[in-house]
Amino acid sequence: MATALPHVRDRIGQQLFARVAGPDGAKHADRIHNRPGPRWFEPGSPITRVHGDASMFIGGLRALLLQTLHPAAMRGVAEHSDFRHDSWGRLARTSRFIAVTTFGAADDADQSVAAVRRIHEHIVGTMADGTPYAASDPHLLGWVHVAEIDSFLRAHTVYGREPLTGADRDTYVAQTAEVARRLGVVDPPTTEAELAAALAAYRPELRSTPEARATVGYLLLRPPLPVLARAPYGVIAAAAIGLMPRWTRLPLRLPWLPVSERTVVRALGGVATGTIRWAMTPREPVHPS
């Protein structure tokens, strides 16, 4: 049993990595982490601690759920994305962007940002009331950014191996702002207090739409996963829902069970992230004695 356990861990880790990073994930990971050259951020700094932790699985799903509440963001996804048929491809590209800008060589990070900006230039359209929207709009980019960073930070606070405290929390927000500026966000928040204020400022614009509810239903009820993987995913989904603000529950038709969310769900979420962290940690080679 003891000798079989490492092999089980390797298999779980490989499957998780393949889902999140894509079929070429190993090649990209090698370049991101091993290519020589200066980085935007120092190893061990707050942004590397958060973005390198297994809690990002929960934070990433929470960010997707929260982002659906902006009608223009959802209109862009509905009209310009093959989300349902390429959800894992989109996840791989997003995770790669976060990895490159957090851990990669500076010139690779610059190229990744430039590529995203070029894509955003072509995502334009019109809302149902005739109002134009564009993915390159700094205000819309700002919403995507603050929803992500609030989600990543909250998930890391609850489920991270070593949650950030004190000034490190503000440093994390300030470091992510450096990436946001390069993407086109104007005056992104640089402290946790500013992050909370920015989220509050978007509240009047947020509402549920058919596109939002369809996306949430797809993410939570019909994820493109093998049957055996759906139970662990369900735990991650429950943990992500448990971190959503109370005011989002009714518009997105999410359950609100405050007692169980603080007890059972958090316990299971902790187990899930611990398992992911364990499964994706490289194993030391065993040498025969």
Side-chain angles (χ1 to χ4, degrees):
M1 179 67 178
T3 57
L5 194 57
H7 298 292
V8 173
R9 182 176 79 166
D10 290 346
R11 184 177 179 184
I12 295 172
Q14 289 166 3
Q15 291 178 349
L16 289 170
F17 184 81
R19 288 288 184 181
V20 175
D24 296 325
K27 179 181 71 176
H28 291 295
D30 181 67
R31 180 181 178 92
I32 289 168
H33 293 284
N34 298 323
R35 181 173 178 243
R39 265 66 179 163
W40 285 355
F41 306 107
E42 289 292 325
S45 64
I47 192 172
T48 66
R49 290 167 57 190
V50 174
H51 292 178
D53 191 83
S55 60
M56 287 288 284
F57 281 76
I58 293 173
L61 183 54
R62 195 255 198 189
L64 290 175
L65 296 175
L66 187 58
Q67 287 167 354
T68 65
L69 284 167
H70 198 292
M74 278 314 306
R75 187 82 168 191
V77 169
E79 294 186 342
H80 297 274
S81 169
D82 192 19
F83 182 82
R84 295 187 179 222
H85 297 97
D86 189 33
S87 55
W88 289 114
R90 284 178 55 82
L91 176 61
R93 290 187 290 273
T94 300
S95 64
R96 190 177 306 147
F97 176 83
I98 293 172
V100 171
T101 54
T102 304
F103 303 102
D107 56 345
D108 282 345
D110 284 327
Q111 291 175 19
S112 186
V113 167
V116 171
R117 295 194 68 150
R118 286 194 297 271
I119 292 171
H120 284 171
E121 290 174 1
H122 300 286
I123 300 178
V124 296
T126 306
M127 302 294 292
D129 62 0
T131 304
Y133 72 84
S136 59
D137 175 11
H139 184 71
L140 192 56
L141 288 170
W143 162 248
V144 173
H145 172 70
V146 298
E148 282 185 351
I149 302 313
D150 182 70
S151 296
F152 298 161
L153 185 57
R154 286 180 182 272
H156 192 261
T157 299
V158 176
Y159 298 107
R161 182 196 292 275
E162 297 179 358
L164 301 180
T165 59
D168 282 347
R169 298 176 68 84
D170 285 344
T171 300
Y172 170 70
V173 178
Q175 288 180 314
T176 63
E178 295 182 34
V179 181
R181 289 190 196 95
R182 288 179 166 96
L183 280 172
V185 179
V186 176
D187 196 24
T190 58
T191 67
E192 190 173 9
E194 290 179 2
L195 177 62
L199 280 165
Y202 278 100
R203 280 284 300 276
E205 304 173 34
L206 307 181
R207 65 179 185 275
S208 177
T209 61
E211 293 94 343
R213 293 189 294 273
T215 299
V216 168
Y218 178 72
L219 287 170
L220 299 181
L221 303 177
R222 297 180 297 281
L225 291 168
V227 174
L228 292 178
R230 292 187 180 182
Y233 179 84
V235 173
I236 292 173
I241 293 170
L243 296 179
M244 290 287 283
R246 181 178 177 180
W247 55 266
T248 67
R249 307 302 180 93
L250 183 60
L252 293 179
R253 299 177 182 173
L254 300 174
W256 186 59
L257 303 168
V259 175
S260 61
E261 286 176 5
R262 289 195 302 267
T263 55
V264 177
V265 171
R266 289 202 176 183
L268 291 174
V271 171
T273 49
T275 301
I276 292 168
R277 191 177 292 116
W278 168 78
M280 300 190 74
T281 299
R283 182 164 55 93
E284 293 294 328
V286 176
H287 302 287
S289 56

